[in-house]
Each structure stands twice: as structure tokens, then as C-alpha cells.
Amino acid sequence: KVKAKAKAEPKAKAKAKAKEPKPAGNYPVVVCGGCGGIGQPLAMLMAMDKNVSELCIYDLDISPMPPAGVAQDLIHLERKCTVKGYVGKLNEPPMNFMEEPLTGAHLVLIPAGLPRKPGQTRDDLFKINADIAKGLVEACAKYCPEAVLAMIVNPVNSIVPAMAELYKKKGLDPMKIIGVTTLDIVRANKFVGEETGKNPNFINVPVIGGHAGATILPVFSQDKAGKLLPAEKVPDMDKHVQDAGTDVVNAKNGKGSATLSMAYAGARFGSAVLSGLSGRRRTECAYCASTVTDLPYFAQPVVLGPKGIEKVLPIGELNEHETKRLEEVKVQLKGEIDSGLKYAEANS
Ligand code: NAD
Ligand code: LMR
């Protein structure tokens, strides 16, 4: 009995220790485009993250709401972080007005840019949004070169390669530029949950490739609920995930694209980045420079650690449908990556 008690004690101690909350991180975070459709709810969700010490809302002087107003609103949440608003001007080098919000930032979330209208593809937004992203990314290179830049702005498939190459040319780490594809995972989980009757909270379908049309490849076979889908339903479910963004664009009827679900997904990704920075590693799918296929940029699971992306994981086993689809992904994605590389070549 005495022996059993002696053994039990360290176990109980270990259990109590495991329950002790680890101290939260203290990270300044910036939302560029923080007054937009995604920016405002994303800023709110980030203000509620225990790892955020300071939240800067940055947007233009022509934005739908003054950044100071969004900040003054969020500052009343019962959370530890301070919130400040900063106003800028559209691509007016040397972008000095970004020095204060960006200096010391660990994570910069970028939902700044035009959304789609019905009939447009994400690719149609490339030129205008790439110019917006370039101004912001160059300011980050100058004022917070170590920060993780989470690129939400579309078309992710071309903008991330363009901005990562610009970072490379400046001698900075291109892996700091990460394309946020989390909304595709969120949608795949939701749709599989609806179809199988399982709780989407416990579903995690990896979505690989890219973030536009056929480049979005949900790998249902790698999730325990996803693999329950009858084979004849898989092509429709796959298409449902690919078309989900367009469904929102059409339902919003010219007034924008997904904002609330994107804010939810962006905050999931942003929180995972901050968790990784604080030493609690997390794995999420994301689009970044990659060698897991023969394409130089790809979305796949990545391990987020103390410096951002720590490891790009292999795509794992694919079934017959997914293997075929991967070839389709590569054809479209290659062209979209090339547009990004050309942009970087012409604009550095
Ligand atoms: P929005 O028009 O509602 O908001 C965009 C905001 O960006 C505005 O407040 C605008 O003033 C600001 N902005 C524009 N240029 C800026 C600059 N140079 N500096 C700072 N702020 C600037 O658009 P939205 O619905 O929030 O969408 C934003 C972007 O996110 C779009 O490109 C959209 O396609 C993309 N998006 C991506 C995903 C994804 O899964 N990655 C999902 C949804 C939307
Ligand atoms: C989405 O997937 O909802 C976004 O990329 C926005 C869009 O244009 O569809």
C-alpha cells in the first residue's frame, strides 16, 4: 500500500503540473486592411487571443471605417491586449506611416485588397491586389523583417510566390510569407460533417495544392470521417469545396466575398502561428515555398514553431481520385505561380 502511494504521488504531481496553464505569449499583431469586411471581424477575433499583447489596425484614409474607430470599439473587450488604429495612404513610398504599427510586430495579417464580384475569377484581381500587397510587404521588409506575414489577399496562388520572391531578393526569408488557405479546410470539415453526421470539430481534412478553383484539392481519404464518404459522392464533395468561395460571391450579389467565415479561418491560422511562436507547435495546411511536389509553391500541412514555418510536411498517401486530381492541380497552379514569379521579376 505504502509503495503504491509513493508511486502514485509523482503521477499526481505530473498531472497537476500538466494542468498548470503555460504563460501566454506577448505578441504584437497587425491587421493590414483591418477596417474591411474580413479585417474587422478578424481583428476582433485576434483581440480575443491570449497570445496577443498589442493589436494594430492599419487601413487607408479612404477605408470604410476609420482605423481609430475600429480600435476604439475593440479596446473595450475584456482582454489584455491594447488596440491602436493607424491610417495610411495607398502605396505612397516610403510608407513611413507604417513604421509605428509594424515595428516589433511578430505577425502581420494581410486581408487588404479587392474582393471578387460575380463572374470574376480570383486571378482577375491579380494586378491590382499584387500592387497593394507589394506596398505592404515592402514596408514589412523594412520595419518587421522577422515577422510572419499571413497573406489572405487574393489571388493567393500568385501573390504568395510574387511576394516571397521579393523577400528573397532582399535577402529575407521567403518562408515568412505564408498564404492562408485555412478557409478551404474549414469548408471541407463542415461539408464532411454535414454528409457523415459527424461533429466537424473533430474533422480535419487536409486541403492541398492552392486556393483557386481546381487547385483546391481536399484529401478526404486522410481524415477518419472523410474516408467514410461513399466513393461516388467524393467528386461532388470535392467540387463543393472548390466552388464554395464562388457560392458566397454569388450570394453576396456584387457586395463582396466571404468575410465572416474568412475571419474565423484567418483567426484560426493566426492563433496557430502565435501558438507556434510561443513554443506550442501546431500543424495547419498553408501555401508557401515548397519542395514536396515538383512545383516551387504548394499548399500542404506545415509545422508552425518558434520562428514561423518550421517544417513543410509531405502530402502523404493519396487515393486514385486524389492522385488524378493532383495532376489537374499542377497544370493550373503552375501557370498561376508563373504569373507571380513574372510579377516579382518585373517589379523588383
Ligand atoms: P474589403 O474591400 O471589404 O476590405 C479590404 C480592405 O483593405 C479595405 O478596408 C481597404 O481600405 C483595405 N486596403 C486596400 N488597400 C490597402 C492598402 N494598401 N493598405 C491597407 N489597407 C488597404 O475586402 P475583403 O472582403 O475584406 O477581402 C479582402 C481580400 O481578401 C480580397 O482580396 C479577397 O479576395 C481576399 N479573400 C481571401 C480569402 C482566402 O481564403 N485567402 C477569403 C476571402 C477573401
Ligand atoms: C474564398 O474562397 O471565399 C475567397 O478566396 C474569396 C473568393 O473570391 O472566393
Side-chain angles (χ1 to χ4, degrees):
K1 257 190 184 171
V2 173
K3 256 190 184 173
K5 199 179 170 197
K7 262 192 182 172
E9 255 172 15
K11 234 183 180 179
K13 250 189 191 171
K15 217 172 163 187
K17 218 174 167 191
K19 274 192 178 164
E20 263 172 41
K22 276 193 186 175
N26 260 315
Y27 300 113
V29 171
V30 182
V31 183
C32 291
C35 298
I38 298 168
Q40 290 197 43
L42 176 59
M44 182 172 95
L45 294 170
M46 293 314 296
M48 292 163 67
D49 187 303
K50 64 180 186 333
N51 285 318
V52 179
S53 58
E54 182 184 291
L55 182 70
C56 293
I57 314 290
Y58 172 78
D59 210 310
L60 299 178
D61 48 358
I62 49 160
S63 76
M65 180 73 74
V70 175
Q72 184 60 39
D73 196 351
L74 288 176
I75 218 161
H76 293 158
L77 300 189
E78 300 157 290
R79 290 297 190 273
K80 73 172 182 189
C81 81
T82 56
V83 191
K84 291 181 188 156
Y86 292 89
V87 180
K89 293 197 174 97
L90 186 62
N91 292 345
E92 204 174 83
M95 311 275 277
N96 290 344
F97 42 80
M98 293 196 77
E99 179 171 0
E100 206 177 318
L102 290 180
T103 302
H106 282 66
L107 168 65
V108 182
L109 294 149
I110 309 193
L114 255 58
R116 276 199 287 165
K117 288 192 189 312
Q120 281 188 310
T121 65
R122 294 176 181 86
D123 201 39
D124 293 333
L125 305 170
F126 181 47
K127 177 70 180 98
I128 186 155
N129 281 354
D131 289 347
I132 291 172
K134 178 171 180 274
L136 298 172
V137 167
E138 283 181 340
C140 291
K142 191 167 168 192
Y143 299 122
C144 55
E146 297 297 318
V148 170
L149 273 52
M151 308 299 297
I152 294 171
V153 50
N154 267 319
V156 170
N157 286 359
S158 307
I159 287 194
V160 168
M163 299 305 132
E165 295 297 317
L166 291 180
Y167 248 43
K168 259 192 224 169
K169 287 192 178 148
K170 290 178 185 294
L172 296 174
D173 179 5
M175 297 307 283
K176 298 286 184 187
I177 311 281
I178 312 180
V180 182
T181 57
T182 322
L183 184 52
D184 299 317
I185 291 91
V186 165
R187 288 167 172 160
N189 294 345
K190 175 73 177 190
F191 300 160
V192 168
E194 283 171 344
E195 193 60 40
T196 60
K198 306 275 181 205
N199 184 343
N201 254 329
F202 302 109
I203 300 176
N204 198 8
V205 177
V207 181
I208 64 170
H211 177 70
T215 71
I216 300 170
L217 171 48
V219 188
F220 297 118
S221 68
Q222 290 180 8
D223 176 78
K224 59 185 184 313
K227 66 165 70 135
L228 299 176
L229 292 173
E232 68 277 11
K233 287 218 163 151
V234 166
D236 283 351
M237 283 295 274
D238 182 349
K239 196 82 177 72
H240 191 18
V241 178
Q242 291 175 47
D243 291 345
T246 307
D247 292 342
V248 180
V249 169
N250 291 338
K252 289 197 172 176
N253 202 16
K255 300 262 162 68
S257 55
T259 53
L260 303 173
S261 52
M262 182 58 235
Y264 167 83
R268 168 174 154 171
F269 186 76
S271 292
V273 170
L274 297 180
S275 175
L277 295 182
S278 78
R280 289 179 218 208
R281 287 170 175 75
R282 295 263 295 270
T283 300
E284 286 283 349
C285 286
Y287 181 71
C288 58
S290 164
T291 54
V292 304
T293 68
D294 45 1
L295 294 177
Y297 290 87
F298 205 76
Q300 66 283 288
V302 299
V303 178
L304 298 162
K307 292 192 168 157
I309 292 184
E310 193 171 69
K311 211 171 176 189
V312 176
L313 299 176
I315 56 179
E317 224 173 280
L318 304 183
N319 66 19
E320 204 185 323
H321 167 80
E322 293 153 0
T323 306
K324 253 199 221 151
R325 278 275 290 112
L326 179 59
E327 292 316 305
E328 192 188 4
V329 166
K330 285 186 187 172
V331 174
Q332 182 180 327
L333 189 51
K334 184 174 182 321
E336 293 175 351
I337 293 170
D338 286 347
S339 304
L341 300 182
K342 271 190 207 140
Y343 178 92
E345 203 51 55
N347 291 279
S348 52

